[in-house]
Every structure is written in structure tokens, then in C-alpha cells.
Amino acid sequence: MQQKQENTGLVWFRNNLRVNDNVSLKKAIENHKRVIAVFYFNPKHFKKEIFGFKKTEKFRAQFLIETVKNLQKNLQKLNITLLTFYDAPQNHLNKICKEFNIDTIYSQKEWTKEEVETNKLIQQSFSNKIYFIEDYDQFLYNPETVSNDFNNIPNVFTSFRKKLEKSVKVKSETTPTPLPKENLIENQTSIPHLKDLGFHNFEIHPKSAFKFSGGEDAALNRLNNYFFETKKVNFYKKTRNGLVGTDYSTKFSPWLANGSLSAKTIYWKIKEFEAEFGANQSTYWVVFELIWRDYFKYISLKYDNRIFKIGGILEKNYTWNSDENLIENWINGTTKDDFVNANMIELKETGWMSNRGRQNVASYLTKELLIDWRIGAAYFESLLIDYDVHSNYGNWMYVAGVGNDPRDRKFNTQLEAKRYDANYKFRKIWLEKTLF
Ligand SMILES: Cc1cc2nc3c(=O)[nH]c(=O)nc-3n(C[C@H](O)[C@H](O)[C@H](O)COP(=O)(O)OP(=O)(O)OC[C@H]3O[C@@H](n4cnc5c(N)ncnc54)[C@H](O)[C@@H]3O)c2cc1C
């Protein structure tokens, strides 16, 4: 076993808010006698952005607070203190490093624009030498085993998936070892309340399809429930296009998005389930969807900031409009299309929308109303409880015809409504006020 360093190691938690299968945490524990953890509620994440929406609305803010509380509790069990601040990391990390004699910071590797800018500012804020150990830890298939050159990532999903499935193995999970009790330090920081972040307290909508709490414990409960307690996973492929209730799909995305659940943990749970109860198309299809999630991360690695540009990765020069009335009607669920309206009201009331709903409302905005797709993406970014930069911008580009859809389809929302909501069950939930 290697000699542990005398200097304290710092784990800076970003979108990897879990203790299990967390490479940064594992490395810090292995390399240092003492470890401290820190999380920043960055004020910038709760401010309005260029299209006028707050970057994070109340649904994700509440979920994040719950997640960080749970992370603090789970770290405490490992005798690691989690300090939390309402501040930008670039204003503060250097103070912590001085105070606790830290020369190494461990974090998840992020590559999108804002995160890279933050990294630069952090590096500039240090006058002394600091080591940054960053690891990709948000993937099912780790980039180090997939490609040396992201330019070679195929632009068609099927080619990507087939190659991965044939040649790459999913790594095993890591588990952290507790440190001695003496590692704990006095913690005078506190986790902000919703009102500190600029929101009022609220109750989860009684008809929400996502009624779960934030945090790793809740994520693992859901995993266990969906697989072993109810065995709903056996029917996933048949139910995944559903619109009503908690169980038509896994609902793993909010935990995956902030990293309180790892894609590898889901994968290995599926393997465990298959070993006990047998594999079928549905158990495979959850992995298939997780590969989509990876795919959009690889596309963002390949194209970098182009995923945020109006022309998308295809650099298409379409004429988009930004008519405020049309946008307001879309947001408020007052368009001419009742299926779009029901989905948009669901999003506004709950922070959740099904995948089928997302595809339809995005297609309607971009291909029927011809509105600049980035406005839709920014609104989703604000409202979605499961917002993930790569999945959101990747899917929006795909639907808007500036991304990876080789067929550039337009959804016929009324046909979709007939197919997926023939008995109006879904529309009745969200359009009650206008139907009766
Ligand atoms: C316009 C648009 C915007 C989207 N924005 C986001 C977003 O911000 N965050 C997000 O996590 N997903 C996004 N998605 C993808 C998808 O809608 C959600 O991942 C899915 O609805 C989450 O529900 P679930 O966890 O029950 O998914 P399940 O159907 O149970 O799938 C299991 C997991 O596979 C992954 N997955 C499934 N479908 C997709 C997909 N199309 N793209 C990428 N990963 C997928 C997710 O991680 C999901 O949790 C978006 C889709 C569209 C069309």
C-alpha cells in the first residue's frame, strides 16, 4: 500500500454528489491521511440567464438541497466533514486550501463552457502550487477506455453503440473506506434553505410523476424498488413511452444528473437482476438508454461549445423566430395543441416531463412554431428537475434538426396524442381547468 500524504486532501463535489462509486473521493481517501469535502451553492446558478429564465428554478434547487444534506450525512459516516458555502468556488477555494494546508483538490472532470471558465478562475486565484486531480466519473463507458481522440466519435448513435457494446467493458464500481474519527473537523457552515436561494417553500404537486427526494439514499431506494421490489424493470420497454404515474420509466434521471447515482451502479444492478431473474429486452433497454446518455456526453466532448450555438453541431443556417407571444403560449400551455399544452403545464407545475412529452413539445416549438431551439433548451434547463447539460442540449439539437437525428423528423403531435393518450387520461390531469 502506498504511503499516505501528510497534507490534507480536498474533495470538491460538483455533479458527483454521492459517496459510492466516486473516484475523486476514493482517490483522496487512498492518498491522504486527512480528507475534507466541500460543496458550493453557486449564486450564479440561481440568477436569470440571457433568455430571461433563472438557470435553476425551485424544483431542482429543492432537489439539490436534499441531495447535499444526504451527502453530508453519508460523508459523516466515513468520518469526512462536508463544508457547504453559498459562494462561487473561485472566490473561496483558495481560502479553504490555506486554512487546512491543502495542496491537492480532487473533483469530477467537467468540460462545458461555464465549468471550464470556473476552473480557469480558480487556477488564477491560487498564488501557490496546487494539484488538481480531475476524473471523468459521469459515464457508463469511461472516456479513457473509449477514445484518445473525440473527433472520431461517430455522428450516428447506432454506430457508436454497436462499437461500444462489442469492444468496451463497463468498469466495476468503487467503494470508499472510512477514515478514522479524528478526521472529522468542526463544521460551522450550513446548507442554505430554499428562501436563501431566492424561492418560497412549496409542496410537491399531488399528481407529479416524480415524487421522490434528492440524495443518494433515495436514489438507491428507487433503484431497489424498480428492480427488485416491484420488478417493473421487466416491462420497461413496453411502458417507457408512458405519460402517467411514477413507474412507466425508471425516473433515475434527476439523481443521475447531479451525480447522486452513478450510471455504473445502475448497470451492475441490472446485471445482478439478470443473474437472478433472467435477462429480457426490457432489462437490456435500460442499458440502451444509458448509452444514449453517454452518447450525448461524447458528442459534447467532440463538438465542445458548438452544442450551445444556434446552428448546432451541423452548423445549419435556419431562420428562427423569437415571437414572445408564441413562446409565452408554449410555456404556459396555451397553444392550439392540447397534447403540447398538457405536457407544458406538467413541466411548469412539477419540474418533470416524460421523454415522449419532451420530444413532442420540443418538436412543436422548433418545427411548428419555428422558434429558436435554444430558448426551449434554456427553459428546460431552468425548470427540469433532471437538467443535464449534455442530455438537454444534445436532445434539443436532435429534435430541432441541428444535431444527431439523421432523419430530421417532425412529430405529428395529434397523432402522438392519439397513440399515447388515446383515453385522454394524461391530458385530463393537466388540462382540467380548461376542459371542464
Ligand atoms: C428535448 C429533450 C430534452 C431533454 N433534456 C434532458 C435533461 O436535461 N436531462 C436528462 O437526463 N434527460 C433529458 N432528456 C432525455 C430524456 O427525456 C430523459 O432522460 C428521461 O425522460 C428521464 O426519465 P427516466 O429517468 O425515467 O428515463 P428512462 O426512460 O427510465 O431511461 C433511463 C435513463 O436513460 C437515460 N436516457 C433516457 N432517454 C434518454 C435520452 N433521450 N437522452 C439521454 N439520456 C436518456 C437517462 O439517464 C434515464 O434516466 C431530454 C429529452 C428531450 C427530448
Side-chain angles (χ1 to χ4, degrees):
M1 201 174 116
Q2 80 180 79
Q3 187 81 30
K4 286 198 176 197
Q5 293 176 33
E6 292 299 329
N7 275 1
T8 304
L10 181 71
V11 185
W12 169 29
F13 280 90
R14 303 178 90 174
N15 274 336
N16 56 341
L17 302 173
R18 61 183 183 272
V19 299
N20 293 295
D21 197 32
N22 184 322
V23 174
S24 303
L25 180 64
K26 171 114 177 127
K27 279 190 179 171
I29 293 174
E30 275 171 6
N31 293 346
H32 299 265
K33 284 188 179 161
R34 301 187 74 94
V35 174
I36 297 176
V38 66
F39 179 79
Y40 291 98
F41 289 85
N42 193 337
K44 199 175 147 199
H45 293 167
F46 305 95
K47 299 237 161 77
K48 282 192 178 168
E49 295 274 284
I50 48 164
F51 293 115
F53 311 117
K54 280 191 181 180
K55 193 170 174 62
T56 309
E57 258 300 339
K58 63 179 181 184
F59 304 108
R60 200 162 69 256
Q62 175 66 27
F63 195 75
L64 180 64
I65 292 170
E66 290 163 0
T67 303
V68 174
K69 276 188 188 158
N70 189 240
L71 176 67
Q72 193 169 55
K73 190 185 101 194
N74 288 341
L75 282 168
Q76 182 88 13
K77 289 185 197 154
L78 300 171
N79 296 318
I80 295 172
T81 308
L82 177 71
L83 306 173
T84 57
F85 300 95
Y86 179 54
D87 202 349
Q90 63 268 27
N91 295 341
H92 196 270
L93 268 173
N94 60 358
K95 281 188 216 147
I96 293 214
C97 290
K98 267 195 203 119
E99 190 178 339
F100 296 103
N101 189 25
I102 287 162
D103 68 359
T104 315
I105 301 178
Y106 297 82
S107 66
Q108 177 167 285
K109 189 171 173 64
E110 306 284 352
W111 59 91
T112 33
K113 199 164 132 239
E114 285 175 21
E115 286 72 16
V116 171
E117 276 163 15
T118 304
N119 282 2
K120 271 193 201 141
L121 293 171
I122 290 170
Q123 285 180 349
Q124 286 164 11
S125 74
F126 283 97
S127 48
N128 52 325
K129 176 88 192 124
I130 266 287
Y131 298 96
F132 290 91
I133 313 249
E134 293 188 312
D135 284 279
Y136 290 117
D137 206 13
Q138 55 279 73
F139 288 81
L140 181 61
Y141 291 99
N142 193 292
E144 278 140 35
T145 52
V146 171
S147 180
N148 293 326
D149 182 358
F150 299 125
N151 285 319
N152 298 331
I153 298 296
N155 278 347
V156 176
F157 170 72
T158 309
S159 325
F160 171 82
R161 175 180 60 79
K162 285 190 174 157
K163 270 204 162 169
L164 253 65
E165 287 178 334
K166 198 168 154 215
S167 332
V168 191
K169 292 246 171 320
V170 174
K171 286 189 178 179
S172 50
E173 294 171 88
T174 62
T175 34
T177 328
L179 283 164
K181 273 229 154 15
E182 304 74 67
N183 182 61
L184 285 167
I185 56 167
E186 192 189 347
N187 186 358
Q188 290 181 342
T189 68
S190 56
I191 295 174
H193 297 283
L194 210 48
K195 71 170 174 4
D196 303 321
L197 305 178
F199 304 103
H200 296 297
N201 287 339
F202 68 98
E203 298 289 328
I204 295 181
H205 194 290
K207 290 183 177 156
S208 174
F210 191 88
K211 292 204 180 91
F212 307 98
S213 313
E216 184 170 11
D217 291 354
L220 296 175
N221 279 343
R222 171 65 181 169
L223 193 61
N224 203 36
N225 178 269
Y226 195 77
F227 287 1
F228 291 95
E229 285 171 18
T230 64
K231 301 192 181 60
K232 295 269 175 173
V233 66
N234 272 328
F235 312 100
Y236 170 74
K237 193 157 182 252
K238 287 201 189 91
T239 59
R240 59 179 283 274
N241 282 309
L243 300 160
V244 180
T246 37
D247 289 337
Y248 58 81
S249 63
T250 68
K251 305 292 185 294
F252 295 153
S253 56
W255 294 293
L256 280 166
N258 72 19
S260 42
L261 178 64
S262 96
K264 281 193 281 154
T265 297
I266 300 174
Y267 178 88
W268 290 115
K269 225 6 143 205
I270 291 171
K271 294 294 143 197
E272 206 181 305
F273 182 89
E274 289 178 342
E276 200 173 337
F277 301 106
N280 61 37
Q281 278 200 348
S282 283
T283 56
Y284 165 69
W285 215 261
V286 178
V287 180
F288 177 95
E289 293 298 339
L290 289 175
I291 303 177
W292 264 112
R293 177 177 175 273
D294 263 20
Y295 184 57
F296 286 125
K297 295 191 184 306
Y298 282 98
I299 287 300
S300 127
L301 278 167
K302 176 173 178 177
Y303 289 102
D304 208 16
N305 290 337
R306 251 158 78 183
I307 68 167
F308 303 115
K309 300 261 157 66
I310 193 162
I313 61 168
L314 299 181
E315 299 188 319
K316 288 270 188 190
N317 201 9
Y318 294 133
T319 307
W320 298 100
N321 103 45
S322 54
D323 183 313
E324 279 182 17
N325 285 334
L326 293 180
I327 298 167
E328 281 296 308
N329 286 339
W330 181 75
I331 286 176
N332 293 321
T334 50
T335 69
K336 291 184 194 134
D337 189 303
D338 63 352
F339 190 52
V340 169
N341 294 346
N343 279 291
M344 292 305 294
I345 293 170
E346 180 186 27
L347 177 63
K348 199 174 177 185
E349 298 284 335
T350 68
W352 179 265
M353 193 193 292
S354 68
N355 184 55
R356 191 47 49 185
R358 294 181 202 199
Q359 289 175 314
N360 274 278
V361 303
S363 177
Y364 187 82
L365 185 79
T366 56
K367 292 188 168 151
E368 187 67 33
L369 303 179
L370 307 176
I371 300 285
D372 178 348
W373 67 273
R374 296 169 310 160
I375 299 173
Y379 181 66
F380 267 36
E381 173 168 355
S382 180
L383 268 280
L384 278 179
I385 200 165
D386 67 4
Y387 166 70
D388 168 284
V389 57
H390 320 288
S391 291
N392 193 52
Y393 283 84
N395 273 291
W396 269 98
M397 285 192 301
Y398 189 96
V399 178
V402 297
N404 298 89
D405 184 1
R407 288 183 281 165
D408 192 11
R409 282 156 284 189
K410 175 178 172 182
F411 282 73
N412 180 332
T413 50
Q414 281 309 297
L415 271 186
E416 290 268 309
K418 267 198 196 122
R419 185 158 174 206
Y420 296 104
D421 191 32
N423 52 14
Y424 279 81
K425 200 171 166 194
F426 173 71
R427 276 168 289 177
K428 274 186 187 155
I429 294 177
W430 301 110
L431 300 177
E432 259 177 353
K433 283 183 211 137
T434 47
L435 272 185
F436 305 106

